[in-house]
Each structure stands twice: as C-alpha cells, then as structure tokens.
Amino acid sequence: MEMSYLVGYGSRYPQQVHHRGASIPVNANSNCSDGFKWLHTRHPNPNVAVGALVGGPSLSDTYMDSRNNISQSEPTTYNSALIVGLISGLITSSSQVESFVKN
C-alpha cells in the first residue's frame, strides 16, 4: 500500500482514525450521542492523532481508510507495545544515552 500506519508519519497515513478525540472538532459543543455525526462523515479527521498506530492492512494487503472500519482504523496500545519495548531496550543499552544524560 506504500503508506504508514503510524498517524502523522510520512506523506501518506490514515486520515480517518476511529478515535473520538481525533474525529470531533475541538470547538464542538457536543455530548456522547452527538459523536455519531462525525463518525459517519467522509471528511478527514479535524485533529491528527500523531503517533497513533492503527490496526493496519488486511490479509490481502488492503486498507480502507474509514472510521467505521474499526478493525483497521482504530488505534490501540497492544500493537504499539512491541515497538515501544524494542526502542526502550535499544535506548537503555546504548552508550549514547549515558553521554546525553550526563551533559
């Protein structure tokens, strides 16, 4: 698909993340039931959830960028935990981190 599934990374990433904070405008005066009007719109999210990792492509390597496509467009923590753990391990085992902390 030649796209990033990490929101805000690269030139092509998901625009309709299934996330209330990303899909409802900041200045909206709404309640819980009002959220559906933003859920069903085809417009990109007014707020970019930078760093959110969405479910990603299907088994056939397709991605439908739609808030209603929950299995692919919802950001989760379980799919990003692995990368956070790996990066943390790399950082803590790096000699560069010690020199940065001491300065």
Side-chain angles (χ1 to χ4, degrees):
M1 297 276 316
E2 296 183 11
M3 70 180 292
S4 171
Y5 298 106
L6 185 65
V7 178
Y9 181 76
S11 60
R12 201 166 161 229
Y13 54 86
Q15 301 293 309
Q16 293 191 23
V17 177
H18 184 89
H19 187 276
R20 189 176 291 257
S23 58
I24 298 177
V26 174
N27 59 353
N29 185 10
S30 65
N31 59 40
C32 287
S33 61
D34 289 340
F36 289 102
K37 65 183 170 189
W38 289 288
L39 173 66
H40 299 299
T41 182
R42 293 181 184 243
H43 299 294
N45 289 347
N47 310 304
V48 179
V50 175
L53 184 61
V54 298
S58 67
L59 292 175
S60 60
D61 197 30
T62 60
Y63 181 81
M64 186 175 70
D65 195 6
S66 169
R67 278 179 284 285
N68 287 315
N69 183 10
I70 298 169
S71 63
Q72 289 183 298
S73 68
E74 187 167 31
T76 60
T77 54
Y78 69 84
N79 60 4
S80 59
L82 177 62
I83 194 164
V84 170
L86 289 172
I87 291 172
S88 298
L90 288 171
I91 289 173
T92 57
S93 64
S94 171
S95 61
Q96 295 298 317
V97 173
E98 281 187 37
S99 64
F100 177 76
V101 172
K102 289 178 183 178
N103 291 330

